[in-house]
Amino acid sequence: MSFELVYTSARRGLRPGASGFCTVAATDGIPRALQDKLESLSGYSYTESLAGSVPPVNHSHMTVRIQRTVYHVLSRIGHVKAEHTNRTNKIAHHLALTSDEIESFDDGPTAMFTDQSFWFSQWDSDPQTLPPDRLPDSYSEPVNGFSAWEEVFGDAGWAGMLGHAIASDFRSVSVIVPNGDQTMALLNEALQLVKAADQWKVCFSTFYTRQTSSAHCHWRFVMDGTSEARHLRARTQGILVDPLGSKTELPDDNPFVQAAREGRPDQAHAMAAAKIRRSGGGALSQPNGDDDEERPERPSVRRRREARLQKKAVQTRSPFDIPEEEYAHVTLEQADAGGSETKRKSSKRKNKAGLILVSVLLLAVIAILVVLGIKQLT
Amino acid sequence: MSDSGILAQITCPHCWNRFPPEETLWASAHPRLYGDARLGPDVQRRFLPTRFDAGGNAIDSQGSFCSEVCCPKCHLGIPRTMFELRSIFYSILGSPGSGKSHMLATTTWQMRQALGSRFKLSISDADPDSNRQLNESEERLFFNEHPDKLATIPKTETEGDLYQPVQFGDETIWYPRPFVFVVQPLADHPRIAERDEISRAICLYDNAGEHFLPGGESSISPATQHLNISRGLLFLFDPTQHARFREACKANTNDPQILGTGRSHRQDQILHEAANRIRTHSGLAQQQKYDKPLIIVITKLDSWGPTLWPEWDTVDDPIRDARQGVAGLDLSLIESVSAQMRVIMSKLAPEFVNAAEGFANNVTYIPVSSLGRSPEVDEESGMLGIRPNEVKPVWAEVPLLYLLNQTSTGLIPAVRRSGG
């Protein structure tokens, strides 16, 4: 069952006695833990938003785990007119879907934002309980190659870095954009480079700040002129796409970059697989400035990387990815959890053997002591 | 304090955990060591060091020298000064819209002006990055590039920039971001020899008013738990949110906060809520009174002063230059003004006076105008703003100076007028 929550500053909230920043609408029966989590995802950096001519809207997709359920949270958070105390205000509208529910939305997470009539951009009503299973119409916006990337950055190849990041074990990538005008278009175009089966695994935010997000985010669109952009330029973990502000150059031999430049997103993965085969399992090239490229690779690191590139059952790569297969509504027999399950059993067996050995040794020592004691007495 | 100059116990300003210095974690510095279990994949990993350089800085597993120290519980960075100077925590609380953010910005700004020249004390940001939000507010009001245009301080959010997420297993706890200042004597201070004894790290928090409403605190947002360790409370009472005050003043003001549609909050209930939280978390019995100073800051003096206290704009400066070369606070003046304020409050908001004096032993009423004049409504945005070139705070720094005088020996002396 899906759940919605609307959070803004109002005279009265849904909870009796609440006012100011509070929940003004929510689906009937929303779990308390989920409500608290969605409220905590409602941050919007007003001062950072002033870096642009128009305060940007943050469209985001995050995955959160509440007890044993994984929710895909789609959020629209934006600036609204002054609230009842004549001060700044925002509105955050969240839609939480379970892993089962997203299967009926084949067009991916960005398609959920096209139905403007569903998403609240302001709130002038009394607090209310929303009916269950209220969902937006989902349809993909028509995408024309990578024209938005070409227009904003002068080179469509930059879109390839986002596809490359996802193909490289869902690494995070930050994109510094000049303003918030075309971020949805950039996002839609970049998603062409992600396999359809993986699109719901991509977490993104079109107006990202570290302070306002507590969930892991793969694609982060950061506005130029913000403190977040300055922080990224000083030091960034993961990939940074910043053609306007830094001297980063695109790796021309990266298959995703080539596919984006040629407008052939469907060829991206085939080209990437071919390159890996040709190079004997080597890594895809990354933009200049990555520390790894400047140092000779240690054998242990190369072995680990090669092992990672081999096809495996879906596993958690990073401690911060949510292992959906453990917590989704599927049984263990259906999920391909063979690899991890076998490893857990084998380590349990080793622990057991060790325990037995120690017990035997202890018994032997006790037996020797008893014999010596008896001899002493006799 | 040990011979090394490091305190025996340190209090984390984020999660208020107390720990000995040997449990301090350090933030690694090498680019390969990213990802922390508490703070997520985008920060340097925290670790308990075993190697140090000659300067006492930790060395991480990749051989880089580290400098940032962190709390062992929440892993958030702690300014080094909090390991060397005694900390004082003060809480600022009040209903939404009572003027906490404005008062914090004007108080710190006024203190930066007054402390150096008059008290011979230096005040500096212990962590400029952590104080960034407050510094931006100060810039909006006092360093604005367009001083004749309306400036606004955004409404404080209940999540976002002023809070930091920390992961504990499956749960994310949002801790409020502290503003930490270091106050210490300058070279020409008469007590410079006792610098180590009288210097302090002062921690303030700017909570959203919603956190103080009943039900406004949750287990994942313990935003107001600093109330329990604070050495004093500054409660901002907003007369423009009280019906009787508005009624008494509306004939004699053009302040939109009084003349507007009116937004009322039961501020006595907010004080009761704060009192309950303090009693619950600190184990104070119901019949016991709070024994630390409770300062009731009556804000927006410019809007109600002309009607209820006509001498508001000619009141004396309570900071007096003493013969010894260091200024002091005129406690007689402050206590006299407090008595006058109590009379006004007892007449118009007796339920609040009852709540305050029923909770605390030591209650002082101090009127403040953070801006010096009423805000204006921006016709385009509908938001309240003030022109920076018209900002003239009245007594904005007095509540905090008074608290320092009452709770910290040696920093802010008191003066008595000579000749009666």
Side-chain angles (χ1 to χ4, degrees):
Chain A
M1 182 183 168
S2 62
F3 296 100
E4 276 182 273
L5 186 133
V6 181
Y7 186 90
T8 186
S9 179
R11 282 183 194 274
R12 284 190 306 124
L14 198 56
R15 181 175 54 81
S19 74
F21 280 124
C22 57
T23 295
V24 294
T27 305
D28 191 20
I30 184 170
R32 180 70 207 189
L34 178 62
Q35 180 173 345
D36 287 345
K37 185 67 180 180
L38 295 181
E39 288 178 355
S40 74
L41 293 175
S42 301
Y44 181 80
S45 181
Y46 177 77
T47 47
E48 297 276 85
S49 75
L50 298 179
S53 54
V54 175
V57 173
N58 183 18
H59 294 97
S60 67
H61 166 236
M62 305 285 173
T63 48
V64 300
R65 188 173 63 200
I66 305 294
Q67 290 151 1
R68 296 186 74 81
T69 304
V70 172
Y71 290 97
H72 291 260
V73 178
L74 298 152
S75 306
R76 182 200 179 279
I77 307 172
H79 170 71
V80 290
K81 64 180 184 184
E83 35 98 84
H84 61 289
T85 61
N86 302 104
R87 293 182 293 167
T88 57
N89 197 4
K90 64 177 178 192
I91 185 164
H93 184 183
H94 306 284
L95 173 64
L97 304 166
T98 61
S99 300
D100 283 343
E101 285 167 324
I102 61 170
E103 285 173 8
S104 47
F105 297 104
D106 297 330
D107 292 328
T110 53
M112 306 292 282
F113 291 109
T114 44
D115 182 0
Q116 298 290 324
S117 63
F118 172 84
W119 298 97
F120 290 106
S121 58
Q122 63 181 55
W123 186 267
D124 295 317
S125 316
D126 288 334
Q128 59 181 254
T129 304
L130 298 170
D133 295 326
R134 201 180 81 99
L135 293 167
D137 291 330
S138 164
Y139 53 91
S140 292
E141 292 275 9
V143 177
N144 178 17
F146 297 89
S147 56
W149 285 88
E150 180 78 41
E151 186 185 330
V152 174
F153 296 117
D155 185 346
W158 289 107
M161 298 315 303
L162 275 70
H164 160 75
I166 297 301
S168 307
D169 294 332
F170 287 81
R171 286 182 66 188
S172 62
V173 57
S174 302
V175 184
I176 298 180
V177 294
N179 52 56
D181 295 347
Q182 296 206 60
T183 44
M184 281 304 287
L186 296 173
L187 185 58
N188 278 319
E189 289 179 3
L191 268 179
Q192 298 175 97
L193 296 165
V194 177
K195 292 179 192 170
D198 287 342
Q199 288 195 357
W200 274 101
K201 293 178 187 166
V202 178
C203 296
F204 59 81
S205 169
T206 62
F207 178 43
Y208 178 84
T209 59
R210 274 170 303 137
Q211 292 87 351
T212 55
S213 175
S214 63
H216 189 50
C217 185
H218 302 112
W219 290 355
R220 308 160 183 194
F221 290 86
V222 176
M223 277 185 48
D224 199 0
T226 58
S227 62
E228 184 66 29
R230 287 191 290 276
H231 175 85
L232 284 170
R233 285 183 174 131
R235 190 172 200 177
T236 184
Q237 172 68 0
I239 303 168
L240 176 65
V241 172
D242 182 25
L244 303 176
S246 61
K247 295 184 174 46
T248 318
E249 290 179 9
L250 271 176
D252 295 327
D253 59 342
N254 185 297
F256 289 92
V257 172
Q258 290 171 3
R261 279 175 173 159
E262 293 166 13
R264 297 190 298 158
D266 47 323
Q267 301 294 314
H269 289 276
M271 289 159 69
K275 180 170 179 177
I276 289 169
R277 280 195 299 274
R278 279 198 302 275
S279 61
L284 294 171
S285 56
Q286 298 179 36
N288 294 342
D290 191 326
D291 285 346
D292 287 338
E293 285 205 86
E294 296 172 359
R295 301 176 189 218
E297 199 176 40
R298 291 189 292 207
S300 58
V301 172
R302 190 176 65 243
R303 280 196 295 275
R304 277 200 296 274
R305 183 171 45 72
E306 284 167 1
R308 248 196 339 259
L309 285 171
Q310 288 168 12
K311 193 171 177 194
K312 279 186 179 178
V314 175
Q315 290 182 14
T316 304
R317 299 288 183 214
S318 151
F320 307 106
D321 285 344
I322 295 170
E324 285 199 56
E325 282 67 27
E326 282 186 52
Y327 295 100
H329 295 288
V330 293
T331 60
L332 278 176
E333 289 79 30
Q334 291 170 346
D336 182 15
S340 55
E341 191 63 22
T342 308
K343 274 190 189 155
R344 278 200 293 274
K345 280 183 182 165
S346 125
S347 71
K348 269 187 186 167
R349 272 200 293 268
K350 281 186 190 160
N351 287 344
K352 220 173 178 178
L355 211 59
I356 292 171
L357 185 63
V358 166
S359 307
V360 164
L361 283 171
L362 204 58
L363 283 171
V365 166
I366 292 170
I368 291 170
L369 287 172
V370 164
V371 164
L372 286 173
I374 292 170
K375 274 191 179 168
Q376 284 266 342
L377 286 171
T378 54
Chain B
M1 191 181 294
S2 67
D3 291 340
S4 63
I6 295 178
L7 298 173
Q9 286 277 310
I10 292 105
T11 305
C12 172
H14 306 281
C15 65
W16 313 291
N17 173 44
R18 284 176 65 83
F19 59 95
E22 60 268 20
E23 290 180 12
T24 305
L25 299 182
W26 291 67
S28 56
H30 196 276
R32 287 179 191 273
L33 297 175
Y34 258 87
D36 183 75
R38 292 261 188 272
L39 303 180
D42 298 325
V43 301
Q44 296 279 171
R45 192 171 305 158
R46 279 38 176 164
F47 69 104
L48 192 64
T50 54
R51 298 183 298 161
F52 297 87
D53 66 6
N57 293 317
I59 301 173
D60 65 25
S61 59
Q62 298 294 317
S64 294
F65 298 101
C66 311
S67 58
E68 189 184 349
V69 290
C70 309
C71 171
K73 179 183 171 189
C74 65
H75 293 203
L76 291 165
I78 299 177
R80 290 256 197 150
T81 49
M82 296 198 71
F83 286 75
E84 296 161 29
L85 300 179
R86 289 197 198 108
S87 321
I88 310 182
F89 293 82
Y90 294 132
S91 298
I92 300 175
L93 54 157
S95 60
S98 56
K100 295 180 290 302
S101 301
H102 282 86
M103 191 183 134
L104 201 51
T106 52
T107 294
T108 51
W109 178 257
Q110 292 291 94
M111 285 186 54
R112 292 185 206 274
Q113 315 305 308
L115 281 190
S117 56
R118 305 187 74 179
F119 290 95
K120 309 282 188 236
L121 295 170
S122 77
I123 177 168
S124 55
D125 297 315
D127 181 356
D129 188 51
S130 190
N131 288 0
R132 179 172 51 87
Q133 191 90 356
L134 183 56
N135 292 338
E136 281 174 7
S137 299
E138 287 179 24
E139 282 168 25
R140 277 170 197 266
L141 293 179
F142 301 104
F143 256 92
N144 202 307
E145 286 178 357
H146 306 285
D148 54 340
K149 291 191 179 166
L150 286 177
T152 309
I153 292 181
K155 177 177 163 64
T156 311
E157 298 200 14
T158 52
E159 58 292 305
D161 289 347
L162 285 175
Y163 303 87
Q164 300 166 103
V166 177
Q167 197 80 18
F168 289 93
D170 290 346
E171 208 171 35
T172 304
I173 307 288
W174 290 80
Y175 288 111
R177 190 183 291 273
F179 300 123
V180 186
F181 301 92
V182 175
V183 179
Q184 47 195 357
L186 290 170
D188 54 348
H189 193 280
R191 294 180 69 178
I192 185 64
E194 300 160 69
R195 181 190 174 118
D196 289 341
E197 288 300 311
I198 64 174
S199 297
R200 292 287 184 272
I202 300 174
C203 298
L204 300 167
Y205 301 89
D206 185 13
N207 281 121
E210 287 84 347
H211 280 132
F212 299 103
L213 297 176
E217 191 170 61
S218 68
S219 61
I220 69 166
S221 182
T224 59
Q225 282 186 13
H226 51 83
L227 293 173
N228 309 320
I229 61 166
S230 291
R231 298 275 290 277
L233 301 180
L234 288 163
F235 188 101
L236 270 61
F237 178 85
D238 181 4
T240 67
Q241 295 186 29
H242 195 283
R244 282 200 285 274
F245 267 90
R246 281 206 305 274
E247 190 59 37
C249 299
K250 66 181 183 185
N252 200 22
T253 183
N254 55 1
D255 190 321
Q257 297 168 102
I258 289 183
L259 298 176
T261 49
R263 44 193 178 92
S264 297
H265 271 113
R266 284 288 305 274
Q267 295 177 80
D268 59 317
Q269 294 298 312
I270 293 176
L271 184 54
H272 282 307
E273 174 69 20
N276 282 340
R277 290 184 195 176
I278 291 171
R279 287 188 197 285
T280 302
H281 292 295
S282 64
L284 200 65
Q286 285 300 319
Q287 63 274 23
Q288 263 180 296
K289 282 200 172 181
Y290 184 69
D291 59 357
K292 296 168 192 166
L294 170 62
I295 314 288
I296 305 297
V297 182
I298 309 172
T299 59
K300 304 177 187 175
L301 174 60
D302 51 273
S303 65
W304 57 270
T307 307
L308 300 174
W309 197 42
E311 62 265 42
W312 73 277
D313 54 350
T314 56
V315 63
D316 286 341
D317 183 3
I319 301 173
R320 297 201 183 278
D321 296 313
R323 289 202 196 99
Q324 293 80 9
V326 173
L329 267 190
D330 185 347
L331 295 187
S332 309
L333 175 61
I334 292 174
E335 285 157 11
S336 164
V337 167
S338 174
Q340 294 175 58
M341 292 301 108
R342 189 180 182 283
V343 168
I344 296 172
M345 290 287 287
S346 297
K347 194 170 147 192
L348 293 173
E351 74 287 351
F352 186 86
V353 174
N354 203 17
E357 295 178 358
F359 168 59
N361 270 328
N362 179 2
V363 183
T364 310
Y365 300 86
I366 299 181
V368 162
S369 173
S370 301
L371 303 178
R373 57 151 294 157
S374 302
E376 299 171 39
V377 177
D378 186 328
E379 285 173 10
E380 201 177 302
S381 63
M383 288 196 282
L384 286 173
I386 184 81
R387 294 177 206 283
N389 58 6
E390 294 176 359
V391 174
K392 286 183 178 47
V394 176
W395 276 36
E397 71 280 22
V398 173
L400 190 55
L401 288 176
Y402 184 73
L403 256 189
L404 280 168
N405 169 267
Q406 297 286 297
T407 58
S408 174
T409 322
L411 268 181
I412 304 292
V415 295
R416 296 277 169 200
R417 299 181 198 192
S418 56

